[in-house]
């Protein structure tokens, strides 16, 4: 089970035969650059490579009219003048004698990818195709697109596999109006698109690309448009959109399959946050992306992520800009009638001190030159992101409990090494009373795990301790992180674990979140606690609305996730938390679990850390008023420091 890559060299055949500055960017080199990038980084050989076959006429008929299909077929025999004349009848389209063949391969590739994922041959995959598809309509080519590859894939999944809930995420910089039209009244396909809009002055200049287009009839609430009205949206803006709009809706919708219209004309692709949905069944299909080098690098990042490698942490000041927050607010306003998770939005009021995109990039340039987004600096930045080698060991375990009792998945390694006995004893002396003699051997192994993660030898790890030693172990781990010059350590502590006293003045290098007890409480901007919600809605709001915005904003180089006595976390919850915390920290998580509960949790926790999709939380249940109140209380106080917590207020 892995990642499929669907491709056919013939798709490089179609190209522009006359002068047209608008269309010339959609060129054959797009595919060769992407493929070369994958080969150079050894990513192609890690995939199951499938050779694309043409979609049949019947399959094209799932979306397109017979007349339109016949018309495109006819272009095979037209001469250059006739092709040019026909092309001019459409908006931003060119035809070539090979267009029909390429477009059928592109559509066929998308269908094959769906087959590979839904038959279980692979977990996920990418179809590298030309021409793109998301602007194409039932009887019209549009915006370089001839057949609507992703819409065809969705129809195919419904028809052949009987799927009832498909999520389409369209992160191309342009609005995929073609997909929107095709599923406008269809509640089985949730279409989410963010796109450059500029109040309608960006191509395709359509009023229906705005946030108030929500779908029609039965399909109301199943079209979600997030229009960007200023240029320069960055990581913080995309993250805010993911955490505060897309993911809450996606979890509530509970898709059986995720299709990605993966255009890289907007940003670096990061499907990592999507991998927790639909059992990991993600099919990505290339759409736009015209800067060849950036396209190649983005495709590599995307494939690496689909393969399960952790994504490099996002750089930059994690402050969404005012315009992005306004856009997010406009979607929330339009969609609130249809989605429980938005009705319950725990939303502090929009603060007015946020930056414009320009101000923010100026600050970025001043603070850290590597974050400059100027054309000439793009390449080293992306290279640095891509070339981080994956640690040789994925997930390792050190335990007080015998290995056989833990039922660990294959590929998880038991830690046998240990730091020196004297060193362990020195650390243990910090907490004389809490470590029994027999705990020392385990502590030595855990310290060795920590070193392995910090040195890049181990990606992440699980350690078990006796209930008595959990808090002390966590304290030793924090101290050792600091001693080893970790810049920032995020501790997510569940259950009865007190924050170590001698860390009162830690220079803001420790962010301590305790999930326990009955009431939310704040000691400082770096130290607070909140109860563990009992509903799925409340738990998701806690993760998406609080924990992840904090984690992305803090940009830790290590996450310590501790499950202490009475942590109360269920299997699926622990797995989801671990899976989602991987992303902001590049996978570097050390989970410390008290031994009473490890037998139940070890397997799914290890699977999640290992990159497998966590099990479902179960049916969506509404957060209780108390749960919402606790989150509101924290967010209202913390948003001054942690700007990713900001969500525009919903209408009264
Ligand atoms: C697939 C795609 C863009 C068309 C732009 C026309 N199409 N100006 O990115
Ligand atoms: Zn595009």
């Amino acid at each position: 089970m892995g990642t499929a890559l669907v491709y056919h060299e013939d798709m490089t055949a179609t190209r522009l035969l006359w002068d047209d500055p608008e269309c010339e960017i959609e060129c054959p080199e797009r595919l060769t650059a992407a493929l070369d990038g994958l080969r150079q980084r050894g990513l192609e050989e890690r995939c199951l490579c499938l050779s694309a076959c043409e979609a049949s006429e019947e399959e094209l008929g799932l979306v397109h009219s017979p007349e339109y299909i016949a018309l495109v077929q006819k272009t095979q025999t037209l001469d250059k003048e006739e092709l040019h004349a026909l092309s001019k009848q459409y908006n931003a389209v060119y035809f070539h004698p090979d267009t029909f063949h390429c477009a059928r391969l592109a559509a066929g590739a998308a269908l094959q990818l769906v087959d590979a994922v839904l038959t279980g041959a692979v977990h996920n995959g990418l179809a590298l195709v030309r021409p793109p598809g998301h602007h194409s309509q039932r009887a019209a080519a549009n915006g370089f697109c001839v057949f609507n590859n992703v819409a065809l894939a969705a129809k195919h999944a419904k028809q052949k596999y009987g799927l009832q809930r498909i999520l389409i995420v369209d992160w191309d910089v342009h609005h995929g109006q073609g997909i929107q039209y095709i599923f406008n009244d269809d509640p089985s396909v949730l279409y989410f698109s963010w796109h450059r809009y500029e109040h309608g002055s960006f191509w395709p200049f359509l009023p229906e690309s705005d946030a108030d287009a929500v779908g029609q009839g039965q399909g109301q609430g199943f079209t979600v448009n997030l229009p960007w009205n200023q240029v320069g949206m960055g990581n913080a803006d995309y993250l805010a959109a993911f955490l505060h709009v897309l993911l809450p809706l996606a979890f509530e919708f509970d898709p059986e399959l995720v299709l990605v219209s993966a255009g890289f004309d907007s940003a670096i692709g990061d499907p990592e946050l999507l991998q927790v949905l639909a059992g990991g069944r993600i099919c990505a299909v290339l759409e736009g992306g015209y800067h060849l080098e950036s396209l190649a690098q983005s495709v590599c990042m995307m494939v690496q992520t689909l393969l399960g490698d952790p994504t490099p942490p996002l750089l930059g000041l994690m402050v969404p800009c005012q315009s992005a927050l306004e856009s997010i607010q406009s979607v929330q306003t339009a969609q609130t009638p249809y989605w429980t998770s938005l009705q319950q939005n725990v939303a502090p009021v929009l603060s007015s001190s946020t930056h414009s995109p320009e101000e923010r990039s100026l600050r970025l340039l001043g603070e850290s030159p590597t974050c400059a987004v100027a054309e000439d600096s793009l390449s080293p930045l992306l290279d640095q992101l891509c070339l981080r080698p994956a640690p040789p060991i994925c997930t390792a375990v050190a335990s007080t409990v015998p290995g056989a009792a833990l039922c660990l998945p294959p590929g998880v390694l038991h830690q046998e090494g240990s730091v020196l006995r004297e060193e362990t004893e020195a650390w243990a002396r910090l907490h004389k009373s809490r470590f029994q003699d027999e705990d020392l051997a385990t502590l030595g192994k855990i310290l060795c795990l920590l070193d392995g993660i910090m040195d890049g030898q181990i990606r992440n790890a699980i350690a078990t301790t006796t209930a008595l030693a959990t808090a002390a172990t966590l304290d030793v781990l924090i101290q050792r992180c600091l001693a080893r010059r970790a810049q920032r350590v995020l501790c997510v502590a569940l259950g009865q674990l007190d924050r170590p006293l001698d860390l009162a003045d830690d220079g803001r290098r420790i962010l301590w979140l305790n999930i326990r007890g009955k009431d939310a409480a704040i000691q400082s901007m770096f130290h607070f606690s909140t109860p563990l919600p009992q509903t799925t809605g409340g738990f998701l709001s806690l993760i998406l609305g609080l924990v992840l915005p904090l984690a992305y904003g803090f940009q830790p180089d290590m996450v310590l996730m501790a499950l202490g006595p009475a942590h109360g976390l269920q299997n699926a919850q622990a797995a989801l938390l671990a899976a989602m915390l991987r992303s902001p920290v590049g996978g570097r998580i050390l989970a410390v679990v008290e031994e009473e509960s490890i037998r139940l949790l070890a397997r799914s926790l290890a699977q999640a850390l290992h990159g497998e999709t966590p099990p479902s939380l179960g049916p969506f249940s509404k957060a209780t008023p108390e749960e919402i109140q606790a989150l509101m209380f924290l967010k209202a106080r913390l948003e001054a420091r942690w700007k990713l917590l900001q969500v525009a207020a919903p209408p009264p």
Side-chain angles (χ1 to χ4, degrees):
M1 287 285 271
T3 296
L5 184 66
V6 196
Y7 178 73
H8 198 294
E9 199 184 295
D10 283 4
M11 283 185 283
T12 58
T14 182
R15 64 193 166 87
L16 181 65
L17 296 174
W18 50 84
D19 259 0
D20 180 346
E22 187 176 22
C23 288
E24 69 190 11
I25 54 176
E26 204 294 289
C27 60
E29 290 73 28
R30 297 178 57 232
L31 286 189
T32 45
L35 203 68
D36 284 349
L38 290 173
R39 289 192 175 141
Q40 274 167 26
R41 291 180 176 78
L43 292 167
E44 188 200 26
E45 62 191 37
R46 293 174 59 193
C47 295
L48 175 69
C49 293
L50 301 175
S51 175
C53 301
E54 291 187 333
S56 68
E57 248 171 73
E58 195 188 331
E59 287 167 334
L60 295 175
L62 288 169
V63 163
H64 299 284
S65 72
E67 299 75 25
Y68 175 66
I69 298 169
L71 180 116
V72 181
Q73 180 163 26
K74 227 185 57 197
T75 61
Q76 293 179 105
T77 57
L78 300 184
D79 67 25
K80 187 170 145 184
E81 276 63 46
E82 293 166 322
L83 288 167
H84 195 170
L86 178 67
S87 302
K88 280 195 281 195
Q89 295 186 21
Y90 298 104
N91 183 349
V93 169
Y94 68 86
F95 287 104
H96 176 278
D98 290 325
T99 294
F100 185 60
H101 178 50
C102 292
R104 280 179 66 173
L105 283 174
L111 303 186
Q112 272 167 272
L113 181 53
V114 166
D115 287 332
V117 167
L118 292 182
T119 56
V122 288
H123 271 305
N124 58 32
L126 171 68
L128 271 183
V129 302
R130 289 179 67 233
H134 70 152
H135 300 303
S136 146
Q137 297 147 39
R138 177 171 158 79
N142 183 286
F144 317 153
C145 302
V146 177
F147 297 132
N148 201 314
N149 309 317
V150 166
L152 285 162
K155 290 271 192 188
H156 178 73
K158 284 179 58 168
Q159 193 212 37
K160 184 164 170 190
Y161 299 90
L163 295 201
Q164 293 176 339
R165 289 181 314 281
I166 299 168
L167 169 65
I168 299 178
V169 178
D170 185 340
W171 68 49
D172 187 282
V173 79
H174 304 99
H175 179 224
Q177 86 279 33
I179 303 180
Q180 174 170 315
Y181 299 155
I182 292 161
F183 299 109
N184 204 31
D185 57 6
D186 185 345
S188 65
V189 177
L190 172 55
Y191 175 65
F192 173 92
S193 172
W194 64 38
H195 40 266
R196 185 167 162 189
Y197 186 59
E198 297 178 82
H199 303 287
S201 63
F202 191 72
W203 194 93
F205 316 109
L206 300 168
E208 62 266 34
S209 305
D210 209 347
D212 58 359
V214 297
Q216 279 176 340
Q218 293 289 300
Q220 279 184 46
F222 296 93
T223 292
V224 181
N225 284 330
L226 174 42
W228 300 126
N229 287 317
Q230 279 185 24
V231 292
M233 294 304 163
N235 288 335
D237 309 302
Y238 291 126
L239 267 176
F242 254 79
L243 298 175
H244 300 315
V245 182
L246 173 57
L247 288 176
L249 299 196
F251 274 106
E252 188 174 342
F253 182 63
D254 188 21
E256 300 157 302
L257 175 69
V258 179
L259 302 175
V260 180
S261 267
F264 296 107
D265 38 13
S266 62
I268 298 172
D270 178 2
E272 187 160 38
L273 284 173
L274 295 176
Q275 282 175 322
V276 294
L277 300 167
R281 288 182 288 274
I282 301 181
C283 300
V285 182
L286 182 65
E287 300 281 2
Y290 308 102
H291 182 292
L292 295 182
E293 205 181 323
S294 158
L295 171 68
Q297 307 250 22
S298 306
V299 165
C300 288
M301 294 263 283
M302 168 109 200
V303 169
Q304 266 189 307
T305 309
L306 290 172
L307 282 165
D309 295 356
T311 47
L314 297 173
L315 305 170
L317 197 63
M318 283 298 159
V319 182
C321 70
Q322 180 74 18
S323 175
L325 290 173
E326 284 167 11
S327 293
I328 289 170
Q329 177 170 42
S330 67
V331 198
Q332 288 172 333
T333 304
Q335 298 290 342
T336 294
Y338 312 104
W339 297 96
T340 309
S341 47
L342 293 185
Q343 288 153 19
Q344 301 202 312
N345 218 336
V346 276
V349 181
L350 188 59
S351 89
S352 57
S353 64
T354 38
H355 307 248
S356 73
E358 299 81 53
E359 281 170 310
R360 184 180 49 194
S361 47
L362 287 175
R363 282 190 55 170
L364 272 181
L365 284 169
E367 284 187 355
S368 124
T370 52
C371 295
V373 285
E375 184 83 352
D376 51 12
S377 65
L378 187 61
S379 174
L381 169 63
L382 289 172
D383 263 326
Q384 175 202 328
L385 294 180
C386 279
L387 293 179
R388 211 177 243 272
I393 298 168
C394 182
T395 301
V397 171
S399 182
T400 47
V401 179
L406 297 179
C407 295
L408 292 167
V412 174
L413 195 100
H414 282 271
Q415 175 70 26
E416 298 306 336
S418 168
V419 302
L420 293 176
R421 179 78 184 190
E422 299 83 71
E423 206 179 339
T424 310
E425 279 172 2
W427 284 107
R429 228 167 282 135
L430 292 171
H431 295 275
K432 286 189 231 46
S433 54
R434 305 263 203 125
F435 290 109
Q436 309 294 310
D437 260 0
E438 55 272 28
D439 295 334
L440 284 184
T442 315
L443 183 63
K445 288 183 183 179
I446 297 175
L447 291 174
C448 196
L449 283 181
L450 181 71
D451 290 0
I453 297 173
M454 294 192 72
D455 296 338
Q457 295 302 308
I458 303 173
R459 185 178 300 163
N460 50 44
I462 301 174
T464 73
T465 61
T466 60
L468 184 69
T470 312
T473 303
L474 190 57
D475 187 25
V476 168
L477 288 171
I478 292 170
Q479 305 275 9
R480 191 166 171 98
C481 282
L482 295 179
R484 296 212 41 183
R485 301 185 173 278
Q487 292 302 305
R488 287 173 301 277
V489 181
L490 169 64
C491 297
V492 182
L494 289 109
Q496 290 163 14
L497 291 169
D498 288 320
R499 181 182 152 115
L501 285 175
D502 44 349
L503 285 174
D505 181 27
D506 53 38
R508 304 183 166 192
R509 289 165 69 193
I510 313 290
L511 178 61
W512 177 274
L513 167 60
N514 197 180
I515 301 175
R516 71 180 291 183
K518 277 200 160 42
D519 297 303
I522 296 197
Q523 278 73 37
S524 79
M525 286 291 171
F526 291 79
H527 179 192
F528 34 87
S529 57
T530 186
L532 177 66
Q534 298 303 311
T535 62
T536 54
F539 185 74
L540 284 168
S541 292
L542 169 65
I543 303 299
L544 301 177
L546 187 75
V547 179
L548 288 178
L550 289 169
Y552 278 106
F554 187 55
Q555 298 173 308
D557 24 31
M558 175 68 97
V559 168
L560 301 174
M561 174 179 160
L563 308 189
H567 61 75
L569 215 57
Q570 290 157 14
N571 248 325
Q573 294 175 324
L576 184 69
L577 181 59
M580 298 205 84
L581 279 172
R582 295 168 75 216
S583 179
V585 72
R588 286 184 301 279
I589 301 180
L590 177 52
V592 184
V593 186
E594 59 87 19
E595 62 188 12
E596 296 298 307
S597 58
I598 190 63
R599 283 181 179 81
L600 289 173
L601 283 172
R603 190 176 172 84
S604 43
L605 198 55
Q607 283 172 333
L609 288 173
H610 207 256
E612 284 174 47
T613 305
S616 161
L617 290 177
F620 186 85
S621 60
K622 248 175 130 155
T624 66
E626 294 74 34
E627 289 169 355
I628 296 175
Q629 220 184 345
L631 283 175
M632 285 277 268
F633 170 85
L634 284 181
K635 290 179 74 160
R637 283 158 188 79
L638 294 172
E639 65 142 13
R641 171 64 181 75
W642 305 106
K643 299 289 185 183
L644 275 175
L645 290 174
Q646 293 180 100
V647 195

